Amino acid sequence: MRLRSMWVSVLGLTLAASVVACGGGSKETAAPAETAAAGGGQKVDPATAGEVNGVVAFEGTAPKNEPIKMNADPVCVKANTTPQEQETYVVTDGKLANVFVYVKDGLSAYSFDPPAGMLTFDQKNCRYHPHVFGVRVGQAVEIVNSDPTLHNIHALPKDNAEFNNGQPIQGMKMSHTFTAKEVMVPFKCDVHGWMNAYVGVVDHPFFAVTDKDGKFSFKGLPPGTYTIEAWHEKLGTQTATVTIAAKETKDANFSFKAAAATD
């Protein structure tokens, strides 16, 4: 029994050292129950709700994405048999993917049910998946390491608590809950410098990330006037104002230009 206790203690110290080497412990805090709902007013009436659809276009020639060199980690090299590059500019037929679009203003009179379910954020093949995503305030995000190598997740928010957790063993999981709305929160890996991602934290369900065709959609919006914002990691933000009546469907399109690209 004494030998077994010593072995468990050594294993615990080894894992703790691995986590510290990867950037330290978590500063997570549990979300108060009341933060799960936006506003303090009425519920959306599905019988009168409308819809906003849109497309995010890209004008001009997109800058080349930075190539990724993974030779420092044999596990990453083995997992990626073809050349890899960043996902900064994903343009198909003039349409821009990985744009976070959300209702920025116009919902203060409404309250929403707490978010259901947990989102999964994966570290697989030495990349973060997804690269851009959204989550509700008070909704748990499960962070998984699917690779047989050391990863860490280092979030750098301004309005939420910073956290930095190492996951040295394949299959390790952790959970984090954001307690305040914030667009956007960058993620990085201190072990593999090319790994990066962005999460938009909002206090309502009307958000989306554009697909390869640049499309997004908000269904179930109550009648009203809204400010909708489109965010891209290098091209910045654009806003549009949309007014919808009961059961009405409106379009809100955006167009970014190559000249707006920044390093």
Side-chain angles (χ1 to χ4, degrees):
M1 289 295 292
R2 181 177 298 177
L3 289 175
R4 183 176 182 274
S5 298
M6 291 176 62
W7 183 87
V8 171
S9 298
V10 170
L11 177 60
L13 289 172
T14 301
L15 289 177
S18 297
V19 172
V20 171
C22 203
S26 171
K27 299 179 182 178
E28 299 176 61
T29 56
E34 62 269 19
T35 64
Q42 59 187 309
K43 299 288 186 179
V44 176
D45 180 3
T48 62
E51 183 176 332
V52 172
N53 301 309
V55 174
V56 178
F58 185 87
E59 298 180 33
T61 302
K64 291 184 178 180
N65 290 319
E66 289 292 324
I68 296 174
K69 297 180 180 180
M70 300 184 178
N71 53 304
D73 191 329
V75 171
C76 299
V77 173
K78 184 178 180 180
N80 295 275
T81 57
T82 58
Q84 297 293 301
E85 60 182 30
Q86 294 289 356
E87 302 170 87
T88 310
Y89 301 99
V90 181
V91 180
T92 304
D93 296 329
K95 304 301 186 293
L96 185 61
N98 284 341
V99 177
F100 184 75
V101 189
Y102 70 107
V103 174
K104 185 176 184 178
D105 185 60
L107 291 167
S108 60
Y110 293 88
S111 61
F112 303 94
D113 292 333
M118 178 183 292
L119 295 182
T120 298
F121 181 78
D122 201 0
Q123 298 159 105
K124 186 175 182 180
N125 296 335
C126 298
R127 304 293 293 270
Y128 285 148
H129 302 277
H131 179 61
V132 178
F133 67 107
V135 68
R136 297 271 302 276
V137 173
Q139 184 174 19
V141 179
E142 183 180 61
I143 300 170
V144 183
N145 181 9
S146 294
D147 289 333
T149 191
L150 169 66
H151 285 310
N152 86 302
I153 181 77
H154 188 177
L156 297 167
K158 295 180 179 178
D159 300 322
N160 285 274
E162 180 179 353
F163 68 91
N164 189 2
N165 287 78
Q167 293 182 325
I169 298 174
Q170 187 177 28
M172 289 187 72
K173 299 178 181 180
M174 62 164 282
S175 178
H176 181 81
T177 302
F178 291 97
T179 60
K181 59 183 181 179
E182 184 171 354
V183 178
M184 301 286 286
V185 178
F187 287 174
K188 70 173 185 175
C189 178
D190 298 319
V191 179
H192 305 106
W194 64 82
M195 292 176 65
N196 62 87
Y198 302 88
V199 56
V201 186
V202 295
D203 56 2
H204 58 73
F206 302 108
F207 60 91
V209 177
T210 56
D211 60 16
K212 64 180 182 62
D213 297 316
K215 293 181 179 180
F216 69 91
S217 181
F218 304 139
K219 301 181 185 298
L221 266 175
T225 298
Y226 301 100
T227 300
I228 298 176
E229 182 170 89
W231 172 97
H232 184 268
E233 62 186 273
K234 291 295 185 181
L235 300 170
T237 61
Q238 292 185 7
T239 58
T241 301
V242 178
T243 299
I244 61 171
K247 300 183 179 180
E248 188 176 23
T249 297
K250 284 283 189 73
D251 291 333
N253 298 320
F254 299 88
S255 183
F256 289 93
K257 297 181 179 181
T262 60
D263 294 329

